[in-house]
Amino acid sequence: MATSHRGYVTASAVVFTVVALAQAWRAAVGAPVEIGGQAIPVAFSWIAAVFAGGLAAWGWRTR
């Protein structure tokens, strides 16, 4: 990988790691989330955590 891309990939991996951890935390504690008055089910946070975690792992592996 070109050195110029390494910073971008690292930054992306950090962001996706934080998002995955935040989604997993939200799902684990069952924190309520509403968007436009609609309650978002906890299952969506588990899905988002797995998806973001996969992208984070991909970024860390690519570095």
Side-chain angles (χ1 to χ4, degrees):
M1 170 178 302
T3 306
S4 62
H5 296 291
R6 185 168 290 216
Y8 172 78
V9 171
T10 301
S12 296
V14 168
V15 168
F16 283 121
T17 299
V18 169
V19 170
L21 290 172
Q23 290 293 341
W25 174 83
R26 186 262 169 166
V29 300
V33 172
E34 285 189 16
I35 298 177
Q38 284 288 87
I40 306 301
V42 172
F44 285 118
S45 284
W46 285 121
I47 293 167
V50 169
F51 183 73
L55 291 174
W58 184 20
W60 289 117
R61 239 188 358 242
T62 304
R63 283 182 0 108

